Amino acid sequence: IASFIGIDINYGFGLPLADLKSRYGQHLIVGSDLIFQPKSTKWAIGLSGHYGFGNNVKEDVVSAFRTQHEGLLIGSDGFLAEVKLKERVYIAQVWLGTIVPLGSQLSARHGIRIKCGLGYFKHFIKILDESRSLPQFNDEYIKGLDRRTGGILISNFTGYEYLDNKNRICFYVGVEPMWGLGKSLANVQYDTNPYNG
């Protein structure tokens, strides 16, 4: 097998567990990988970047500022305004993986793909003011509300991969549990007041 350099684009579904389960619900993930497989080995190395986004935020970081009228906020113009809370996730990692062949490899390289990755992640709650009437939620103030968290990430992918020798059909499917060892990146949380610095 000759050396191989490839780029893939992937799309997935994320389900937060453990500590993140109390803050976020399910979300979607898009990403891309740069893959290099040397000729002399069955192992491939790769660099990947992923962006996660979702609308299911369970932790209401602006609850202290809401009015009793439908939970809206008071804008700078004196009118009631609404903010939306969104989940945002960024992941970058390097990984090492291989394919355990299944069946004949004459027309396609296919089998069980396994890989392990190590990287960095960051997630936060995006406070979206579509009316732009809430100047109190400026960039600096939001840093004390968005629960910005980051740290080391470990991942383990297991799935099926099919690479046609004539590059007509190439795809893979699988599951990739990720374990993050994160900490708060904010010095203060304005709605709860604890100082993290």
Side-chain angles (χ1 to χ4, degrees):
I1 299 176
S3 296
F4 171 80
I5 297 178
I7 297 176
D8 78 44
I9 298 174
N10 44 70
Y11 180 81
F13 171 83
L15 182 64
L17 299 172
D19 294 340
L20 278 187
K21 187 176 181 180
S22 62
R23 181 170 296 173
Y24 304 119
Q26 56 199 15
H27 57 263
L28 299 176
I29 302 173
V30 294
S32 181
D33 288 62
L34 176 63
I35 307 162
F36 174 65
Q37 176 148 0
K39 180 179 180 180
S40 59
T41 177
K42 294 182 179 180
W43 291 90
I45 58 174
L47 295 172
S48 68
H50 291 86
Y51 169 66
F53 55 97
N55 298 325
N56 191 347
V57 177
K58 301 177 181 179
E59 189 171 352
D60 189 357
V61 295
V62 296
S63 61
F65 310 97
R66 295 187 184 277
T67 67
Q68 293 183 352
H69 182 73
E70 298 183 0
L72 299 176
L73 287 78
I74 299 176
S76 58
D77 54 8
F79 291 98
L80 294 174
E82 180 183 6
V83 295
K84 296 180 179 179
L85 304 180
K86 309 284 187 177
E87 176 189 3
R88 295 293 184 264
V89 182
Y90 296 97
I91 298 171
Q93 61 177 332
V94 59
W95 54 262
L96 178 68
T98 189
I99 293 180
V100 179
L102 292 176
S104 173
Q105 304 288 302
L106 294 178
S107 61
R109 182 169 177 260
H110 66 105
I112 303 300
R113 161 68 76 181
I114 55 174
K115 65 180 184 180
C116 296
L118 177 66
Y120 180 83
F121 76 94
K122 180 168 69 174
H123 64 78
F124 62 94
I125 299 172
K126 182 177 178 62
I127 301 174
L128 186 60
D129 171 24
E130 293 181 337
S131 67
R132 303 195 178 201
S133 63
L134 299 165
Q136 62 267 40
F137 294 113
N138 57 46
D139 291 342
E140 287 302 313
Y141 193 80
I142 283 178
K143 291 180 181 179
L145 291 172
D146 64 10
R147 303 297 193 267
R148 194 169 297 260
T149 302
I152 295 174
L153 178 84
I154 300 171
S155 67
N156 180 19
F157 176 90
T158 304
Y160 175 79
E161 183 167 314
Y162 184 97
L163 301 173
D164 186 275
N165 289 339
K166 296 183 179 180
N167 297 320
R168 293 173 300 185
I169 302 175
C170 300
F171 69 91
Y172 67 89
V173 294
V175 294
E176 186 174 18
M178 296 182 176
W179 296 270
L181 303 173
K183 68 175 183 177
S184 174
L185 301 178
N187 291 329
V188 65
Q189 293 179 2
Y190 294 130
D191 58 324
T192 59
N193 292 323
Y195 182 76
N196 297 322

